[in-house]
Amino acid sequence: MGRVYQRILLKLSGEALMGNLGYGIDPVVVGDIAQEIAEVAATGTQVAVVVGGGNIFRGVKAASAGMDRATADYIGMIATVMNAMTLQDALEQISVPTRVQTAIAMQEVAEPYIRRKAIRHLEKGRVVVFGAGSGNPFFTTDTTAALRAAEIDAEVIFKGTKVDGIYDCDPKTNSEAHLYKTLTYAHVLTHDLRVMDSTAIALCKENSIPIIVFNLSVRGNICRAVNGESVGTIVGGSCEVS
């Protein structure tokens, strides 16, 4: 089966880069993710990436401990840039041309986010990694992923997680939990399934961008999803339990 998507956006949490470490970045895990992205890019699919920063700093957690929320969120944005640069290095180590664009100007280490420039990079076969979130406090990197996907005309958002997809309840505490094959945006919102925050889901719904939630730790899952194979849960269809 050949690829079914021309341009995708991959959402990576900071925790995805942490692996089994308690904090920071696991170079082996980052290298594995970079290799998978390289395999997707080699098929001709244009790849953009939004990274979180929770492996280094969590703005919401710091705010709950007493820090000013806006300040905490800005620190979290800087953490995402650290992750973006790490992923860029891992990709370029295996000869994948990559550009980091940040929503907060850091011209010495990355380009500023410019929509047309990002699209041009993608058209030239470069992987584009978006850092610093949306540049605004009070918004998550999930919302950033939905926003950037809409801006660059991505056909789909892939969200890599530590589980196989979206369940009707927590599979870690309930052995009877059922994995959804497909879900509507409305079902995710009304049942507060929290695969992404409500603002991100609403943005995807408004712009008809499907979200595929899958287990990032299973080797080859990104390529399988790009090729149209049944991987994880698709948000944007009808409700169906596998």
Side-chain angles (χ1 to χ4, degrees):
M1 184 182 294
R3 65 188 173 95
V4 296
Y5 299 110
Q6 175 65 28
R7 181 178 295 162
I8 68 168
L9 188 138
L10 175 64
K11 170 59 170 65
L12 298 175
S13 67
E15 289 84 351
L17 306 183
M18 188 167 61
N20 293 321
L21 302 179
Y23 175 85
I25 300 167
D26 185 333
V28 175
V29 170
V30 176
D32 288 343
I33 293 171
Q35 188 62 53
E36 287 221 50
I37 293 173
E39 290 169 10
V40 172
T43 68
T45 297
Q46 298 170 16
V47 184
V49 185
V50 168
V51 289
N55 56 320
I56 299 171
F57 189 89
R58 273 196 170 278
V60 173
K61 185 176 180 180
S64 67
M67 182 179 282
D68 175 74
R69 173 64 190 272
T71 299
D73 281 354
Y74 280 121
I75 295 170
M77 291 178 213
I78 294 169
T80 72
V81 177
M82 296 167 68
N83 285 335
M85 292 174 65
T86 300
L87 181 60
Q88 178 187 37
D89 180 75
L91 285 162
E92 293 191 335
Q93 293 268 2
I94 53 175
S95 302
V96 179
T98 308
R99 299 291 184 272
V100 172
Q101 291 196 343
T102 61
I104 298 173
M106 300 182 184
Q107 62 266 26
E108 286 81 9
V109 296
E111 297 178 359
Y113 170 65
I114 300 172
R115 173 181 172 270
R116 287 179 179 272
K117 198 167 186 179
I119 292 172
R120 186 61 176 150
H121 285 319
L122 292 169
E123 290 172 343
K124 285 180 172 288
R126 298 165 184 150
V127 173
V128 180
V129 185
F130 297 118
S134 66
N136 300 294
F138 305 102
F139 291 92
T140 68
T141 50
D142 279 346
T143 295
T144 301
L147 176 63
R148 294 288 182 256
E151 288 179 307
I152 66 171
D153 298 319
E155 298 162 273
V156 63
I157 294 174
F158 292 123
K159 179 165 183 180
T161 69
K162 293 183 178 181
V163 293
D164 295 330
I166 304 173
Y167 288 82
D168 57 356
C169 57
D170 189 348
K172 293 179 181 178
T173 59
N174 188 342
S175 60
E176 299 297 317
H178 294 287
L179 176 68
Y180 286 105
K181 196 170 183 180
T182 61
L183 279 171
T184 63
Y185 303 108
H187 188 92
V188 173
L189 290 169
T190 56
H191 289 77
D192 195 24
L193 295 179
R194 300 191 181 187
V195 58
M196 297 176 88
D197 66 82
S198 58
T199 305
I201 297 295
L203 262 172
C204 289
K205 179 181 179 182
E206 184 176 338
N207 293 281
S208 301
I209 303 170
I211 307 159
I212 299 178
V213 183
F214 65 98
N215 192 335
L216 185 67
S217 64
V218 176
R219 188 75 174 84
N221 262 358
I222 301 176
C223 282
R224 293 185 190 99
V226 169
N227 290 337
E229 296 181 35
S230 180
V231 176
T233 303
I234 301 174
V235 178
S238 58
C239 289
E240 183 182 343
V241 177
S242 62

